[in-house]
């Protein structure tokens, strides 16, 4: 009898390990939600245990026998809590942080993980299909930490919390005269307007097929720099997920987080020609300033950018992996 073995050399993304002293922690993130952390946060953590679920991420076999357990909630804005486990029972508290669910995402490869092993905090450096670099805090690192592979495409859902979000400055303008850039700009605006502000699944294909029908649509475009999309990640090691962005609001809705009203803004912060738009659902506390922001407005924001990678969302990424391998 002949037995054939197939050897797979599985490589993990590069890992940079931070000490507790190098890690920023989540105090500033909790301050987005409350001015009374010492009382509110312990109360919220205790409350969430009553209805907690175990998110699977990429792992279809989540078990209470794991050394660490990730607990979450089925809410648009929720808390993720990490517990150390021993003999199938919680042994001690490790970490907790507030999260926003993001329905939008991009296919990316994980190039590097910046990790504090004591707290299970991780910031992922990811490269999109068009070459853009994105850094985001990994909501599901506890569940996914042993499953990420180097050179593998993942569909990543993005979201974030706004430290600050305001209307963009409207003072500076530039003139676009390149014919193809003009066509792309006109096409994008026409298609989004025709879809009630939503991005259709075949946006790039529609843009390729769109052609001007009037002379006015061929004329140079005056672009207000307050009407552009931009994303800048943080420049401190382990804090690259603290980002500045500017973009257009495509959607707005309200939700609640432990009795507090949160406004969810769907903001496109990158939209380049021949690239999938980068849309992030951003949670912001409701007040007069955020309430005044409307759909189609352009905003500037300092955000804590988050990422989540779920097994059930990987169909498109798996197809891309297979096509590259064949």
């Amino acid at each position: 009898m002949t037995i054939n073995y197939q050897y797979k050399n599985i490589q993990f993304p590069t890992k940079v390990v931070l000490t507790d002293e190098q890690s920023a922690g989540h105090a500033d993130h909790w301050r987005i939600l409350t001015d009374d952390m010492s009382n509110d946060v312990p109360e919220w953590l205790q409350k969430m245990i009553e209805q907690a679920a175990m998110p699977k991420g990429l792992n279809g076999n989540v078990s209470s026998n794991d050394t660490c357990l990730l607990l979450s909630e089925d809410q648009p804005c929720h808390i993720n809590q990490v517990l150390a486990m021993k003999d199938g029972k919680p042994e001690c508290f490790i970490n907790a942080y507030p999260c926003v669910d993001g329905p939008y995402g991009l296919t990316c490869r994980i190039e590097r993980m910046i990790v504090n092993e004591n707290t299970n905090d991780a910031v992922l450096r990811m490269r999109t299909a068009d070459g853009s670099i994105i850094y985001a805090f990994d909501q599901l690192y506890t569940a996914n930490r042993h499953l990420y592979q180097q050179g593998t495409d993942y569909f990543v859902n993005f979201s974030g919390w706004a430290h600050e979000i305001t209307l963009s400055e409207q003072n500076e303008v530039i003139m676009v005269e390149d014919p193809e850039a003009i066509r792309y700009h006109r096409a994008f605006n026409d298609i989004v307007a025709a879809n009630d502000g939503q991005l259709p699944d075949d946006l790039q294909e529609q843009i390729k097929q769109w052609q001007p029908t009037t002379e006015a649509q061929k004329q140079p475009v005056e672009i207000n720099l307050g009407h552009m999309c931009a994303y800048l990640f943080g420049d401190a090691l382990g804090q690259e997920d603290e980002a500045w962005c500017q973009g257009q609001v495509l959607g707005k809705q309200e939700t609640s987080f432990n009795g507090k009203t949160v406004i969810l803004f769907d903001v496109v912060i990158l939209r380049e020609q021949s690239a999938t738009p980068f849309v992030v659902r951003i949670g912001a506390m409701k007040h007069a300033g955020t309430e005044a922001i409307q759909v189609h407005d352009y905003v500037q924001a300092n955000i804590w950018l988050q990422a989540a990678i779920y097994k059930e969302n990987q169909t498109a990424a798996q197809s891309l992996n297979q096509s590259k391998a064949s």
Side-chain angles (χ1 to χ4, degrees), residues 7 38 40 48 54 59 83-84 96 107 114 117 127 142 148 162 175 185 214 252 254 275 281 303 326:
Y7 173 72
S38 60
D40 285 346
M48 73 155 289
M54 291 191 295
N59 189 354
L83 303 177
T107 298
I114 305 166
E117 301 282 21
R127 184 181 296 272
T142 298
Y148 293 140
M175 190 70 71
H185 180 84
T214 67
K252 176 184 178 182
E254 290 187 6
R281 174 159 289 178
I303 66 171
S326 60

Side-chain angles (χ1 to χ4, degrees), residues 54 62-64 66-71 81-85 90 142:
M54 291 191 295
V62 173
S63 170
S64 60
D66 292 339
T67 57
C68 291
L69 182 66
L70 179 64
L71 298 178
Q81 190 169 170
V82 184
L83 303 177
M85 302 294 290
T142 298

Side-chain angles (χ1 to χ4, degrees), residues 42-54:
E43 179 182 335
W44 294 344
L45 295 180
Q46 180 62 39
K47 181 180 176 182
M48 73 155 289
I49 292 293
E50 299 172 4
Q51 52 188 6
M54 291 191 295

Side-chain angles (χ1 to χ4, degrees), residues 5 7 12 47 67 72-73 108 138 158 175 303 312 326:
Y5 292 96
Y7 173 72
F12 300 104
K47 181 180 176 182
T67 57
S72 188
E73 301 171 281
C108 305
D138 189 354
F158 289 100
M175 190 70 71
I303 66 171
E312 58 265 30
S326 60

Side-chain angles (χ1 to χ4, degrees), residues 131-198:
S132 297
I133 299 298
I134 299 171
Y135 285 89
F137 176 83
D138 189 354
Q139 293 182 358
L140 302 177
Y141 179 74
T142 298
N144 290 341
R145 65 192 188 280
H146 300 308
L147 301 174
Y148 293 140
Q149 296 183 26
Q150 192 178 86
T152 297
D153 292 296
Y154 297 101
F155 184 82
V156 185
N157 292 88
F158 289 100
S159 60
W161 285 105
H163 294 283
E164 181 181 15
I165 183 167
T166 60
L167 292 171
S168 298
E169 298 291 336
Q170 305 293 309
N171 300 327
E172 197 172 351
V173 297
I174 59 173
M175 190 70 71
V176 177
E177 298 179 337
D178 177 72
E180 183 57 25
I182 293 171
R183 192 193 72 82
Y184 184 90
H185 180 84
R186 304 283 192 195
F188 185 96
N189 287 342
D190 277 3
I191 293 165
V192 172
N195 284 272
D196 296 323
Q198 301 300 311

Side-chain angles (χ1 to χ4, degrees), residues 22-285:
Q22 293 172 310
S23 299
H26 295 294
D28 286 343
H29 304 142
W30 290 114
R31 288 192 188 100
I32 295 172
L33 297 161
T34 178
D35 294 324
D36 189 8
M37 285 193 301
S38 60
N39 288 316
D40 285 346
V41 175
E43 179 182 335
W44 294 344
L45 295 180
Q46 180 62 39
K47 181 180 176 182
M48 73 155 289
I49 292 293
E50 299 172 4
Q51 52 188 6
M54 291 191 295
K56 295 180 180 179
L58 290 169
N59 189 354
N61 299 305
V62 173
S63 170
S64 60
N65 292 321
D66 292 339
T67 57
C68 291
L69 182 66
L70 179 64
L71 298 178
S72 188
E73 301 171 281
D74 187 19
Q75 301 290 337
C77 298
H78 59 273
I79 294 172
N80 278 13
Q81 190 169 170
V82 184
L83 303 177
M85 302 294 290
K86 185 175 182 180
D87 299 327
K89 297 180 180 180
E91 184 179 31
C92 64
F93 170 85
I94 294 179
N95 199 1
Y97 42 87
C99 297
V100 177
D101 274 345
Y104 311 104
L106 297 171
T107 298
C108 305
R109 288 193 172 186
I110 301 171
E111 293 190 332
R112 188 172 68 183
M113 303 184 294
I114 305 166
V115 179
N116 181 328
E117 301 282 21
N118 294 327
T119 61
N120 273 17
D121 281 333
V123 175
L124 305 181
R125 172 188 165 100
M126 294 163 282
R127 184 181 296 272
T128 66
D130 63 283
S132 297
I133 299 298
I134 299 171
Y135 285 89
F137 176 83
D138 189 354
Q139 293 182 358
L140 302 177
Y141 179 74
T142 298
N144 290 341
R145 65 192 188 280
H146 300 308
L147 301 174
Y148 293 140
Q149 296 183 26
Q150 192 178 86
T152 297
D153 292 296
Y154 297 101
F155 184 82
V156 185
N157 292 88
F158 289 100
S159 60
W161 285 105
H163 294 283
E164 181 181 15
I165 183 167
T166 60
L167 292 171
S168 298
E169 298 291 336
Q170 305 293 309
N171 300 327
E172 197 172 351
V173 297
I174 59 173
M175 190 70 71
V176 177
E177 298 179 337
D178 177 72
E180 183 57 25
I182 293 171
R183 192 193 72 82
Y184 184 90
H185 180 84
R186 304 283 192 195
F188 185 96
N189 287 342
D190 277 3
I191 293 165
V192 172
N195 284 272
D196 296 323
Q198 301 300 311
L199 300 179
D201 292 337
D202 61 343
L203 175 64
Q204 294 304 320
E205 187 60 34
Q206 288 193 44
I207 289 176
K208 289 179 183 178
Q209 296 177 4
W210 187 94
Q211 294 297 329
T213 57
T214 67
E215 283 301 314
Q217 292 176 326
K218 299 178 184 179
Q219 297 305 307
V221 177
E222 185 178 86
I223 296 181
N224 188 316
L225 292 183
H227 287 179
M228 65 179 289
C229 298
Y231 158 70
L232 298 173
F233 50 77
D235 56 7
L237 179 65
Q239 299 179 51
E240 294 93 340
D241 50 340
E242 301 291 347
W244 178 89
C245 64
Q246 177 173 283
Q248 187 177 26
V249 178
L250 303 180
K252 176 184 178 182
Q253 59 185 285
E254 290 187 6
T255 188
S256 62
F257 176 89
N258 287 291
K260 298 175 180 288
T261 302
V262 177
I263 300 179
L264 300 175
F265 295 104
D266 297 334
V267 184
V268 54
I269 63 175
L270 287 179
R271 52 182 177 198
E272 302 295 335
Q273 188 171 353
S274 303
T276 303
F278 183 18
V279 182
V280 178
R281 174 159 289 178
I282 300 173
M285 302 307 294

